[in-house]
mmCIF file of all heavy atoms in Angstrom:
data_model
loop_
_atom_site.group_PDB
_atom_site.id
_atom_site.type_symbol
_atom_site.label_atom_id
_atom_site.label_comp_id
_atom_site.label_asym_id
_atom_site.label_seq_id
_atom_site.Cartn_x
_atom_site.Cartn_y
_atom_site.Cartn_z
ATOM 1 N N SER C 662 1.157 -24.556 37.063
ATOM 2 C CA SER C 662 1.960 -23.479 37.658
ATOM 3 C C SER C 662 1.137 -22.754 38.761
ATOM 4 O O SER C 662 1.733 -22.110 39.635
ATOM 5 C CB SER C 662 2.371 -22.533 36.586
ATOM 6 O OG SER C 662 2.871 -21.358 37.095
ATOM 7 N N ALA C 663 -0.162 -22.876 38.758
ATOM 8 C CA ALA C 663 -1.023 -22.366 39.833
ATOM 9 C C ALA C 663 -2.113 -23.425 40.079
ATOM 10 O O ALA C 663 -2.442 -24.246 39.205
ATOM 11 C CB ALA C 663 -1.639 -21.015 39.457
ATOM 12 N N ASP C 664 -2.693 -23.367 41.282
ATOM 13 C CA ASP C 664 -3.765 -24.329 41.593
ATOM 14 C C ASP C 664 -5.155 -23.789 41.301
ATOM 15 O O ASP C 664 -6.078 -24.563 40.992
ATOM 16 C CB ASP C 664 -3.692 -24.735 43.081
ATOM 17 C CG ASP C 664 -2.390 -25.427 43.425
ATOM 18 O OD1 ASP C 664 -1.968 -26.285 42.610
ATOM 19 O OD2 ASP C 664 -1.793 -25.058 44.446
ATOM 20 N N ALA C 665 -5.318 -22.480 41.395
ATOM 21 C CA ALA C 665 -6.645 -21.909 41.209
ATOM 22 C C ALA C 665 -6.564 -20.442 40.851
ATOM 23 O O ALA C 665 -5.547 -19.761 41.150
ATOM 24 C CB ALA C 665 -7.470 -22.047 42.442
ATOM 25 N N GLY C 666 -7.555 -19.965 40.160
ATOM 26 C CA GLY C 666 -7.644 -18.552 39.836
ATOM 27 C C GLY C 666 -9.096 -18.232 39.541
ATOM 28 O O GLY C 666 -9.885 -19.150 39.189
ATOM 29 N N MET C 667 -9.473 -16.944 39.706
ATOM 30 C CA MET C 667 -10.880 -16.677 39.434
ATOM 31 C C MET C 667 -11.059 -16.225 37.985
ATOM 32 O O MET C 667 -10.168 -15.549 37.420
ATOM 33 C CB MET C 667 -11.368 -15.553 40.349
ATOM 34 C CG MET C 667 -12.857 -15.397 40.210
ATOM 35 S SD MET C 667 -13.599 -15.173 41.813
ATOM 36 C CE MET C 667 -14.238 -13.554 41.626
ATOM 37 N N GLY C 668 -12.157 -16.664 37.404
ATOM 38 C CA GLY C 668 -12.395 -16.336 35.993
ATOM 39 C C GLY C 668 -13.710 -16.856 35.543
ATOM 40 O O GLY C 668 -14.495 -17.391 36.311
ATOM 41 N N ILE C 669 -13.990 -16.658 34.222
ATOM 42 C CA ILE C 669 -15.295 -17.090 33.699
ATOM 43 C C ILE C 669 -15.294 -18.557 33.306
ATOM 44 O O ILE C 669 -14.277 -19.150 33.032
ATOM 45 C CB ILE C 669 -15.679 -16.206 32.493
ATOM 46 C CG1 ILE C 669 -14.569 -16.257 31.388
ATOM 47 C CG2 ILE C 669 -15.975 -14.778 32.922
ATOM 48 C CD1 ILE C 669 -14.980 -15.533 30.108
ATOM 49 N N PHE C 670 -16.507 -19.109 33.335
ATOM 50 C CA PHE C 670 -16.727 -20.510 32.988
ATOM 51 C C PHE C 670 -16.149 -20.884 31.627
ATOM 52 O O PHE C 670 -15.516 -21.916 31.481
ATOM 53 C CB PHE C 670 -18.198 -20.847 33.032
ATOM 54 C CG PHE C 670 -18.537 -22.228 32.580
ATOM 55 C CD1 PHE C 670 -18.350 -23.310 33.450
ATOM 56 C CD2 PHE C 670 -18.985 -22.509 31.301
ATOM 57 C CE1 PHE C 670 -18.612 -24.618 33.076
ATOM 58 C CE2 PHE C 670 -19.297 -23.817 30.910
ATOM 59 C CZ PHE C 670 -19.066 -24.885 31.778
ATOM 60 N N ALA C 671 -16.336 -19.969 30.643
ATOM 61 C CA ALA C 671 -15.919 -20.251 29.269
ATOM 62 C C ALA C 671 -14.395 -20.502 29.187
ATOM 63 O O ALA C 671 -13.941 -21.336 28.421
ATOM 64 C CB ALA C 671 -16.287 -19.086 28.326
ATOM 65 N N ALA C 672 -13.612 -19.778 30.031
ATOM 66 C CA ALA C 672 -12.158 -19.978 29.999
ATOM 67 C C ALA C 672 -11.806 -21.366 30.555
ATOM 68 O O ALA C 672 -10.954 -22.059 30.017
ATOM 69 C CB ALA C 672 -11.472 -18.874 30.807
ATOM 70 N N ALA C 673 -12.476 -21.769 31.631
ATOM 71 C CA ALA C 673 -12.241 -23.070 32.205
ATOM 72 C C ALA C 673 -12.595 -24.141 31.164
ATOM 73 O O ALA C 673 -11.852 -25.102 30.954
ATOM 74 C CB ALA C 673 -13.055 -23.259 33.486
ATOM 75 N N LYS C 674 -13.741 -23.951 30.500
ATOM 76 C CA LYS C 674 -14.209 -24.967 29.544
ATOM 77 C C LYS C 674 -13.234 -25.075 28.330
ATOM 78 O O LYS C 674 -12.924 -26.160 27.891
ATOM 79 C CB LYS C 674 -15.614 -24.596 29.077
ATOM 80 C CG LYS C 674 -16.262 -25.685 28.272
ATOM 81 C CD LYS C 674 -17.636 -25.346 27.720
ATOM 82 C CE LYS C 674 -18.061 -26.424 26.749
ATOM 83 N NZ LYS C 674 -18.990 -25.906 25.744
ATOM 84 N N ALA C 675 -12.780 -23.886 27.867
ATOM 85 C CA ALA C 675 -11.892 -23.883 26.712
ATOM 86 C C ALA C 675 -10.611 -24.662 26.984
ATOM 87 O O ALA C 675 -10.045 -25.309 26.123
ATOM 88 C CB ALA C 675 -11.541 -22.470 26.331
ATOM 89 N N MET C 676 -10.176 -24.654 28.300
ATOM 90 C CA MET C 676 -8.929 -25.337 28.662
ATOM 91 C C MET C 676 -9.212 -26.717 29.280
ATOM 92 O O MET C 676 -8.311 -27.313 29.851
ATOM 93 C CB MET C 676 -8.171 -24.486 29.658
ATOM 94 C CG MET C 676 -7.611 -23.232 29.068
ATOM 95 S SD MET C 676 -5.883 -23.458 28.629
ATOM 96 C CE MET C 676 -5.546 -21.885 27.904
ATOM 97 N N GLN C 677 -10.494 -27.115 29.261
ATOM 98 C CA GLN C 677 -10.888 -28.398 29.836
ATOM 99 C C GLN C 677 -10.492 -28.534 31.316
ATOM 100 O O GLN C 677 -9.907 -29.513 31.744
ATOM 101 C CB GLN C 677 -10.330 -29.566 29.010
ATOM 102 C CG GLN C 677 -10.850 -29.513 27.581
ATOM 103 C CD GLN C 677 -10.145 -30.551 26.676
ATOM 104 O OE1 GLN C 677 -8.957 -30.499 26.523
ATOM 105 N NE2 GLN C 677 -10.929 -31.469 26.169
#
Side-chain angles (χ1 to χ4, degrees):
Chain C
S662 167
D664 297 316
M667 189 137 116
I669 55 174
F670 175 78
K674 190 182 170 208
M676 292 262 178
Q677 298 172 299

